[in-house]
Amino acid sequence: MSAILMDGRSLAKKVGAEVKAAVAEMTATGQAKPGLATVLIGDDPASEIYVRNKRRLCVEAGMQDLHHHLPGNVTQQQAIDLIDELAANPSVSGILVQLPVPGKINAEELLSRIPADKDIDGLTVANAGLLAQGLPGHRPCTPAGILRLLDEYKVDLEGATAVVVGRSRLVGKPMAQLLLERNATVTVAHSRTRDLDQICQSADILIAAAGVPGIITADAVRPGATVIDVGIHRDGDRLRGDVDFDAVSTIAGRLTPVPGGVGPMTIAMLLVNTLTAAQKANDVKENNVNSRIP
Ligand code: GUN
């Protein structure tokens, strides 16, 4: 193996500690703890594990865990009522509806009820629009975490060729926009792309977010490239990503492991977004109070 492994686990710990220190400072100055409301609908085992990890790290960072679990047979109206209640609750800094939701629930309608400033997942039309326009807003956690990891390992994005494989709303699309914002030259490839290997070969930075185990083989990687593996798939009793790790690790310059690469960074950025949301809400509150003082 020649690639440098990009250790998302240790960077996520560092980011978590920074968030914890900021939360402690907030509470020391009499401000309320940030509150993260995770909403899990149904009993998808993978989603249960993801949400459990998010909640655990939220508590470790000193935030309030305001979790809600709705049964799989909940009605659309009951789910909407919960989101509306969380939207109006000042203790809730951020709302995360874990995706996917059961088939008969309309996720779009639920997301549309989340106020943009509490949308710490960056999934609402408002935050997606802000990103598309290059304006400040909450950015989706996985691409934001990848950017933080690239920065930590001093990967030069300016003028670099980046290929993003995958065009999902959670990862591919926002990743491409964030890389573009950092002056990379970005290509988005997907399931219908012809000559995928050839296109990937052009990448200084290759982001594998196709959701297909092992789709990125050694033939798709330019020697020395930075390869980020967003995939996570169960394969017997082990986990694997979208990248053929053993083969690609002999060619890439830098590579994220699965697990321990992108996954922990997603949660770390969720904590950052929740903290930012709480800080903004406190600023608004203070300004409103001050504006009433003659
Ligand atoms: N499902 C898988 N990843 C995510 C994520 O980042 N946010 C939400 N809301 N659901 C997910």
Side-chain angles (χ1 to χ4, degrees), residues 39 47 50-51 54 95-100 111 120-121 123 140-143 170-171 266-267 270:
V39 178
S47 291
Y50 291 141
V51 170
K54 289 170 187 179
I95 303 169
L96 179 146
V97 177
Q98 184 68 24
L99 301 174
L111 294 177
I120 37 72
D121 240 354
L123 285 183
C141 302
T142 300
L170 272 169
V171 185
T266 297
I267 305 186
L270 177 68

Side-chain angles (χ1 to χ4, degrees), residues 101-117:
V101 293
K104 68 182 181 65
I105 295 291
N106 179 346
E108 230 39 71
E109 194 183 11
L110 297 187
L111 294 177
S112 75
R113 317 288 291 209
I114 301 176
D117 51 359

Side-chain angles (χ1 to χ4, degrees), residues 36-49:
L36 172 62
T38 44
V39 178
L40 176 64
I41 308 178
D43 302 304
D44 176 60
S47 291
E48 278 182 9
I49 294 170

Side-chain angles (χ1 to χ4, degrees), residues 53-111:
N53 285 335
K54 289 170 187 179
R55 294 175 62 198
R56 180 173 54 81
L57 286 151
C58 151
V59 170
E60 276 179 29
M63 299 185 182
Q64 289 187 83
D65 167 27
L66 306 169
H67 177 63
H68 291 263
H69 187 182
L70 297 176
N73 63 359
V74 73
T75 65
Q76 181 74 15
Q77 191 55 50
Q78 285 168 323
I80 287 175
D81 289 346
L82 172 63
I83 303 293
D84 287 353
E85 195 184 304
L86 298 172
N89 182 346
S91 300
V92 173
S93 317
I95 303 169
L96 179 146
V97 177
Q98 184 68 24
L99 301 174
V101 293
K104 68 182 181 65
I105 295 291
N106 179 346
E108 230 39 71
E109 194 183 11
L110 297 187
L111 294 177

Side-chain angles (χ1 to χ4, degrees), residues 280-293:
K280 284 221 181 95
N282 284 336
D283 286 351
V284 169
K285 222 189 295 170
E286 264 175 35
N287 288 337
N288 286 345
V289 168
N290 289 342
S291 67
R292 273 188 258 121
I293 297 169

